Amino acid sequence: MLIRLPLLCLLVSVTAIAADLTPERYWNTALPNTPMPNSLRHLFTPDFTDEKSTDVQVGKGGVNVNAGKGKTGGGTAVNVGKGGVYVDTGKGKGTHVSVSGGKGPGGGVGVHTGKPGKRTDVGVGKGGVIVHTRHKGKPVYVGVTPGPNPFVYNYAASETQLHDDPKAALFFLEKDMVPGKAMSLRFNAEDGYDGKTAFLPRGEAETVPFGSEKFSEILSIFSVKPGSGEAEMMKKTIEECEAKRVGGEEKYCATSLESMVDFSVSKLGNYHVRAVSTEVAEKNAPMQKYKIAAAGIKKLSDDKSVVCHKQKYPFAVFYCHKAMMTSVYAVPLEGENGLRAKAVAVCHKNTSAWNPNHMAFKVLKVKPGTVPVCHFLPETHVVWFTY
């Protein structure tokens, strides 16, 4: 199949064409002085990292991109020259080509071959040429019962969750954040999938529907059976993303690393920004009793922050919200088995707009708006702040 797009030269500059912005490189471009937390770095499949080789050639005739396995007739070949764009997918397989004037790296021309999770993506726009050969195979659902997200302010807990949900133990009062205080915690509670819920590049994430009105189509794309536990879990995530804001909350569901960066920078700026996550030395550490170490509690921020909570979905989706009147702490912990953790805690000073039946109030036996409510962040969550 041969497609000619003569308008491309109007959309792309020579310097932009030469760029190859993986999600990781997008971060480094937008936040050159902000280290990426390991919790986010671990959400890249090998296909998304800078270690993946992509053949990009820039010359007088334009740009030549080959994303395949090096075999003639396999993969996708894209030739960008003065005359436009030529796309040859080989072997007659389907290709989706879109031209848009959108802003950011996703604007311009996007070429996608195959279904989400099993395809090659080539995007050409103002941000440059983006090529990704997608990870094979879809995430595996592991049977976690869907339930309300305790990090959403309008959430109401059930009695079952108070006893069974390991996230309940993550809530505590600010006055209890003192050396020697013991708490039973589990930081890496299963998020509903087998760990393959990696980021999609923004160019691909924007081609996948995300919304209640498109739910049937979403299930079809990911081969999920309607009414299954996995379908209910996905539906709950979408509903939380579409729910009304609480009080003056500013929220956004990021379906790519790039969109998470953009939202956080739009709320905090990109000067002196930090992004941190909880780090536990042992993978899949069990629930156990931790004590706050004798020294080392550090307040990182005492104003506004953006907290991004990883959701239950077939690819990485983060529920991000700007929180005012919050303090962010780094809290060193020592487990009863000698395990050490560098925990991140967020303390909310004003909870008056929260659901009175929120898990935090039931666990801590306090009322909304009376005292600061704190919670540790699970390993996969991120808090952004300025320093």
Side-chain angles (χ1 to χ4, degrees):
M1 179 178 66
L2 189 64
I3 300 174
R4 180 180 176 87
L5 301 176
L7 295 178
L8 180 70
C9 55
L10 299 178
L11 302 172
V12 189
S13 68
V14 174
T15 55
I17 290 176
D20 177 18
L21 293 180
T22 63
E24 195 169 11
R25 290 184 180 178
Y26 188 91
W27 175 290
N28 293 333
T29 300
L31 299 166
N33 300 312
T34 305
M36 183 187 297
N38 287 333
S39 62
L40 296 181
R41 194 176 300 278
H42 291 162
L43 297 180
F44 295 112
T45 70
D47 296 325
F48 300 159
T49 65
D50 290 337
E51 296 175 0
K52 182 71 176 180
S53 176
T54 299
D55 181 15
V56 180
Q57 300 174 347
V58 182
K60 293 182 179 179
V63 178
N64 297 285
V65 181
N66 294 286
K69 296 183 179 180
K71 298 179 181 179
T72 303
T76 298
V78 179
N79 181 29
V80 184
K82 293 182 179 179
V85 180
Y86 299 88
V87 181
D88 185 0
T89 62
K91 297 185 179 181
K93 295 184 178 179
T95 297
H96 171 67
V97 180
S98 59
V99 181
S100 66
K103 296 180 180 180
V109 177
V111 181
H112 308 288
T113 66
K115 294 182 178 180
K118 297 182 180 180
R119 68 192 191 186
T120 296
D121 306 316
V122 181
V124 184
K126 293 181 179 180
V129 176
I130 308 169
V131 182
H132 298 292
T133 302
R134 296 292 299 115
H135 178 69
K136 301 294 188 298
K138 98 177 179 63
V140 179
Y141 174 58
V142 296
V144 173
T145 302
N149 184 348
F151 303 111
V152 175
Y153 300 151
N154 60 3
Y155 147 90
S158 66
E159 290 300 323
T160 300
Q161 286 179 297
L162 289 178
H163 297 289
D164 299 337
D165 193 336
K167 293 186 179 70
L170 297 177
F171 289 93
F172 63 97
L173 297 177
E174 190 173 31
K175 68 180 182 63
D176 292 329
M177 189 164 38
V178 293
K181 176 67 177 180
M183 305 178 190
S184 293
L185 302 167
R186 184 185 175 196
F187 289 104
N188 50 5
E190 182 58 62
D191 72 352
Y193 287 89
D194 68 348
K196 294 182 181 178
T197 50
F199 281 116
L200 297 183
R202 176 160 59 185
E204 177 169 349
E206 290 180 348
T207 69
V208 180
F210 188 84
S212 298
E213 73 284 355
K214 297 281 188 178
F215 192 61
S216 295
E217 182 181 348
I218 294 170
L219 295 183
S220 177
I221 288 173
F222 290 102
S223 301
V224 175
K225 184 179 179 180
S228 65
E230 185 175 14
E232 291 302 310
M233 195 165 60
M234 294 166 62
K235 181 180 179 181
K236 191 65 182 178
T237 289
I238 292 174
E239 288 176 346
E240 288 173 352
C241 289
E242 294 177 339
K244 293 181 179 180
R245 298 184 300 172
V246 175
E249 176 191 25
E250 296 180 67
K251 69 171 193 172
Y252 174 73
C253 274
T255 58
S256 66
L257 177 72
E258 296 94 324
S259 60
M260 189 202 306
V261 169
D262 289 351
F263 176 78
S264 301
V265 167
S266 72
K267 302 305 173 188
L268 300 174
N270 62 356
Y271 184 70
H272 284 176
V273 173
R274 284 192 64 191
V276 295
S277 297
T278 292
E279 297 182 6
V280 182
E282 180 181 315
K283 186 177 180 180
N284 298 322
M287 175 78 77
Q288 65 174 298
K289 186 172 291 185
Y290 289 87
K291 286 187 177 180
I292 297 179
I297 298 175
K298 182 179 180 181
K299 181 178 285 189
L300 303 176
S301 176
D302 196 25
D303 183 16
K304 59 185 178 181
S305 61
V306 172
V307 187
C308 294
H309 307 285
K310 191 168 186 288
Q311 300 297 96
K312 299 172 182 177
Y313 211 69
F315 61 88
V317 172
F318 281 80
Y319 179 104
C320 298
H321 51 146
K322 178 183 176 183
M324 303 298 291
M325 299 181 67
T326 56
S327 297
V328 180
Y329 292 89
V331 184
L333 300 172
E334 297 176 354
E336 57 187 353
N337 67 350
L339 180 66
R340 293 178 180 273
K342 298 177 181 178
V344 175
V346 177
C347 294
H348 301 268
K349 301 174 186 178
N350 183 4
T351 60
S352 57
W354 291 24
N355 189 318
N357 292 315
H358 192 282
M359 177 187 285
F361 304 133
K362 291 188 175 183
V363 170
L364 303 175
K365 301 187 186 311
V366 297
K367 294 182 178 180
T370 56
V371 293
V373 169
C374 304
H375 61 81
F376 289 116
L377 289 182
E379 286 184 282
T380 54
H381 299 199
V382 184
V383 59
W384 304 69
F385 59 90
T386 56
Y387 60 96

